[in-house]
Amino acid sequence: MLLKDITGSSHFFETHAHRFEMLTLFFEISVGDGTMVTIRRSVAEPTKIAIVRHEDVLLDLCKNPPEAWDHEDLSLSAAREILDGILNLRVIEPYDFRKAQTYFLRTQADYNSVLQLQKFQVGQHKFWKPFVMTMLGFDEKPVMRKYELDQRIETAEENKKKREAELQVEEHDLLRMNAEIASLRTQLKETEEQLDRFEFSDQERRMMTELVGDIEARVRDINGELYNIEIDVRNVEKALSSKLDFKLSEIEKIFEETGVHFPNQLKRNYEQLVDFNRALSRERNQSLRDRRKQLLDAQSSLRDEKEAEDAKRQQYRSILQDSDTLEKFKALQRGLSEQRAELTYLEGQYARLTEISAIEDQISELKRDRSVAQDEIKQQIIKSTTPMDRIAENFRTYCKRVLDHDGLFFLNQNTYGNAEFKIELKERISSKASRQADGKSYKQIVCALFDLALLKAYEDAPFYHFVYHDGILEGLDDRKKTLFLELVHEIIAPSKIQYILSVIDADLPRLEDGSKVEFDTDEIILQLDDSGDKGRLFRMAEF
């Protein structure tokens, strides 16, 4: 994919009015088979995109009618899919063309690392390392699978900790708890059988059922209702005892003592306010007295009902307590309830322990799978790939030529089993690693040399064939600037790779006599200055 003279095209801003919102952008891309793709996108309607494929370089399509475009009014996702199919970048499959384009559009923030761009500085490595492995000719599946397994193991371990926090027993108690549950179930069965063997007459059974199930429950309910009524009555009495205490004469006295005139209108307002509050108090007190009467009536009714229930309860008890049968029955019932509660608790704890055990088995299996993925990554790194070897050799050569250092590019595995991409500069007369690459200007040039090495390795493959470097000559000495530009000219000479850089006048390399090294006129796509509207990026007045 060759990016052809985007901003330098004579028609690039042809359609602008005098506002940025009216701009229509035209992008022209060479797809490598002698044909071009032009993309039209309006700033005002960014979701309506048009695409046409043609053979004319820098074809002016500003006034192209809708029917002349192969695809019109495309959504952003549809346009991406169509362009991805046209470009057919098989080297980076299964990724689309957008995944790597930022590697070849380096801004000032993208020189801190050769392969970890600024947009990947925050976030997980799984969002960029698998793609880089693909770009270097490796199989990205084990790398992606390794990161996915890391995430699944982390989730499972967090789930396990959460489950363990809910336990009141230890994991090693699993077998003991199983035995306890079995024993408790046996006891529960025996207790139920004993209850079933009790002999009661039909009348006694009815009386016992009514006493335990109805009368006792109703007495409890009545006591609760009486308690609530007593609280409500107390609150009503307290509210009725609060009186409105406001004396206008005292207000008038305060005004007299302070020597401030007390206007008649203000006095009337106070009197009206007092009357209004008194009226409200009378209405409120009447409502409270009505509420108190309702509560006292309900209280009296409940006390009568409770007295009747108490009498019935006493009567039933006197009949049933002629023997100790009821007490035995109650004791067995209490034991049955306690056994059931304990069994429910133990079964809940046992279930949680079982879940934890299952999670541990899952974690062990995931770790075995992760170990397999790590081994696959290791074997890939050991075997390397043809593109990887070619990129490494190009990088070594370019670094030696421009920086007079051997540039080493290699892969290894870190302690977590993940692939690491390593860049080192070594002095040619020593085996020691150079610290020059830690400087800002050297980081920039190393990134640029790596990009060129990558593009050169794929210059005949369905891959990107352009790169843009922002401010790449900043901070370098003139000798290295000159060597770098010579290398660039040599690489792009076969016209398979397009190189784009931005540079300010002060950063242009100087010859020994102090004169600037100038670019050829046909190499300058866009020149910006302070001369006026024509020197601005959009070639129009400020707005």
Side-chain angles (χ1 to χ4, degrees):
M1 182 173 67
L2 191 63
L3 192 65
K4 296 293 290 185
D5 299 352
I6 292 180
T7 56
S9 302
S10 60
H11 61 270
F12 186 66
F13 296 113
E14 187 78 20
T15 61
H16 77 76
H18 292 289
R19 294 187 56 81
F20 179 73
E21 291 83 353
M22 299 302 294
L23 287 174
T24 298
L25 309 179
F26 291 81
F27 301 90
E28 191 171 86
I29 301 172
S30 169
V31 298
D33 60 355
T35 62
M36 312 296 294
V37 173
T38 298
I39 305 165
R40 187 194 71 210
R41 186 175 185 184
S42 169
V43 174
E45 295 180 304
T47 58
K48 292 185 177 181
I49 301 169
I51 296 176
V52 64
R53 192 167 183 171
H54 56 89
E55 296 180 356
D56 296 328
V57 178
L58 297 180
L59 179 66
D60 190 344
L61 300 175
C62 297
K63 298 178 176 62
N64 224 20
E67 60 270 15
W69 294 86
D70 296 337
H71 306 278
E72 267 275 328
D73 292 337
L74 294 172
S75 66
L76 189 58
S77 59
R80 289 176 182 173
E81 186 175 350
I82 290 172
L83 186 57
D84 191 50
I86 294 173
L87 297 175
N88 193 25
L89 302 180
R90 296 189 299 276
V91 169
I92 62 170
E93 288 180 346
Y95 299 95
D96 62 28
F97 72 94
R98 290 177 58 85
K99 185 66 177 180
Q101 65 182 8
T102 47
Y103 280 95
F104 304 105
L105 296 170
R106 282 196 192 256
T107 65
Q108 291 283 344
D110 293 321
Y111 292 121
N112 288 324
S113 174
V114 170
L115 289 167
Q116 188 175 7
L117 300 180
Q118 189 270 339
K119 71 175 184 177
F120 298 127
Q121 293 296 322
V122 178
Q124 301 176 20
H125 286 189
K126 69 178 182 180
F127 295 122
W128 65 275
K129 279 190 176 180
F131 168 74
V132 171
M133 290 292 284
T134 300
M135 196 163 58
L136 298 177
F138 295 96
D139 182 4
E140 57 91 31
K141 294 185 185 67
V143 181
M144 181 60 77
R145 188 165 70 251
K146 163 66 170 54
Y147 284 117
E148 290 173 350
L149 289 167
D150 285 342
Q151 183 62 52
R152 291 176 63 187
I153 290 170
E154 182 181 351
T155 301
E157 287 178 342
E158 289 176 356
N159 189 23
K160 179 190 172 192
K161 288 180 182 179
K162 181 180 177 182
R163 300 285 183 181
E164 287 175 339
E166 298 172 351
L167 284 173
Q168 282 80 43
V169 292
E170 300 294 334
E171 291 181 46
H172 58 74
D173 292 332
L174 187 63
L175 296 178
R176 180 183 59 79
M177 287 182 63
N178 193 26
E180 285 186 9
I181 289 171
S183 174
L184 197 55
R185 284 173 177 165
T186 301
Q187 294 177 29
L188 192 62
K189 184 178 179 181
E190 292 174 353
T191 303
E192 289 173 342
E193 289 175 349
Q194 290 182 46
L195 283 170
D196 289 341
R197 287 196 299 268
F198 266 88
E199 297 294 338
F200 294 104
S201 67
D202 292 340
Q203 183 69 9
E204 285 177 325
R205 286 181 182 276
R206 183 193 63 76
M207 292 174 64
M208 185 180 298
T209 300
E210 187 176 351
L211 174 63
V212 176
D214 298 336
I215 298 175
E216 297 284 2
R218 182 55 187 156
V219 169
R220 284 196 303 271
D221 293 342
I222 291 173
N223 287 333
E225 292 177 32
L226 286 171
Y227 175 78
N228 292 333
I229 288 174
E230 185 175 346
I231 296 297
D232 290 345
V233 169
R234 190 179 303 169
N235 291 334
V236 170
E237 295 287 357
K238 185 176 180 180
L240 287 170
S241 64
S242 62
K243 304 293 184 182
L244 178 65
D245 189 14
F246 180 84
K247 296 180 179 179
L248 186 59
S249 58
E250 293 181 0
I251 299 298
E252 291 177 324
K253 183 177 180 181
I254 291 172
F255 271 81
E256 290 175 1
E257 290 175 354
T258 57
V260 178
H261 176 62
F262 189 51
N264 290 331
Q265 180 60 41
L266 181 59
K267 180 178 180 181
R268 283 194 296 274
N269 290 342
Y270 267 112
E271 290 173 343
Q272 290 173 357
L273 179 61
V274 171
D275 292 340
F276 177 72
N277 282 323
R278 283 173 177 163
L280 285 180
S281 296
R282 284 194 296 272
E283 292 178 5
R284 185 197 63 149
N285 289 343
Q286 184 58 47
S287 297
L288 289 173
R289 282 190 288 272
D290 293 342
R291 174 61 177 159
R292 180 176 58 184
K293 184 176 184 307
Q294 293 173 359
L295 290 171
L296 292 175
D297 290 345
Q299 185 182 54
S300 176
S301 177
L302 285 170
R303 284 174 175 170
D304 292 342
E305 184 180 354
K306 182 176 182 296
E307 184 177 349
E309 294 292 341
D310 283 340
K312 188 186 292 186
R313 179 170 60 174
Q314 185 63 33
Q315 178 187 8
Y316 281 17
R317 282 183 172 178
S318 63
I319 295 172
L320 293 172
Q321 287 179 347
D322 287 344
S323 66
D324 61 351
T325 302
L326 181 62
E327 291 302 321
K328 291 178 182 178
F329 183 80
K330 284 184 175 181
L332 284 173
Q333 274 197 323
R334 285 194 298 271
L336 184 65
S337 299
E338 292 171 358
Q339 288 168 356
R340 283 175 175 165
E342 186 177 359
L343 179 61
T344 300
Y345 168 77
L346 288 176
E347 286 177 339
Q349 294 292 301
Y350 184 82
R352 290 187 176 90
L353 278 175
T354 303
E355 289 175 358
I356 291 173
S357 180
I359 293 172
E360 287 179 338
D361 292 342
Q362 179 191 14
I363 292 172
S364 297
E365 184 177 352
L366 290 172
K367 286 183 176 180
R368 285 193 296 270
D369 292 343
R370 183 172 65 179
S371 179
V372 172
Q374 289 173 342
D375 289 339
E376 291 179 11
I377 295 171
K378 181 179 180 180
Q379 292 305 314
Q380 284 200 77
I381 291 175
I382 292 173
K383 291 179 180 178
S384 191
T385 66
T386 299
M388 171 69 193
D389 296 340
R390 194 179 299 137
I391 293 166
E393 178 58 27
N394 291 342
F395 181 68
R396 185 191 67 79
T397 302
Y398 297 166
C399 287
K400 181 185 294 185
R401 180 167 170 179
V402 176
L403 303 176
D404 198 28
H405 281 62
D406 283 332
L408 302 182
F409 172 57
F410 58 95
L411 272 67
N412 64 11
Q413 257 183 313
N414 59 23
T415 54
Y416 301 102
N418 297 318
E420 289 285 341
F421 310 106
K422 295 292 186 180
I423 294 285
E424 290 183 9
L425 291 182
K426 286 191 176 294
E427 298 179 16
R428 297 178 64 184
I429 60 174
S430 171
S431 61
K432 295 181 179 179
S434 172
R435 303 294 296 177
Q436 285 186 341
D438 295 337
K440 179 178 181 296
S441 60
Y442 264 73
K443 280 183 178 180
Q444 292 185 182
I445 199 67
V446 166
C447 288
L449 292 173
F450 181 85
D451 292 343
L452 292 172
L454 179 63
L455 290 175
K456 184 65 177 177
Y458 283 119
E459 66 177 352
D460 295 316
F463 191 65
Y464 299 82
H465 297 296
F466 73 91
V467 66
Y468 164 70
H469 290 145
D470 180 25
I472 191 60
L473 300 182
E474 283 184 14
L476 288 175
D477 62 64
D478 289 333
R479 173 63 179 161
K480 289 183 172 53
K481 291 178 183 178
T482 302
L483 290 172
F484 177 73
L485 292 176
E486 288 176 356
L487 175 64
V488 169
H489 279 98
E490 182 181 308
I491 291 172
I492 66 175
S495 297
K496 295 180 179 181
I497 297 172
Q498 181 185 13
Y499 185 77
I500 310 167
L501 79 157
S502 59
V503 60
I504 60 175
D505 185 75
D507 288 332
L508 288 172
R510 262 60 175 177
L511 299 175
E512 291 183 2
D513 62 1
S515 61
K516 293 183 293 186
V517 174
E518 300 285 356
F519 291 102
D520 293 340
T521 304
D522 61 351
E523 292 180 327
I524 301 175
I525 303 302
L526 180 65
Q527 188 166 343
L528 306 178
D529 53 49
D530 298 327
S531 61
D533 294 347
K534 290 185 178 180
R536 294 191 176 97
L537 178 61
F538 294 108
R539 300 174 184 170
M540 60 185 183
E542 294 179 295
F543 56 89

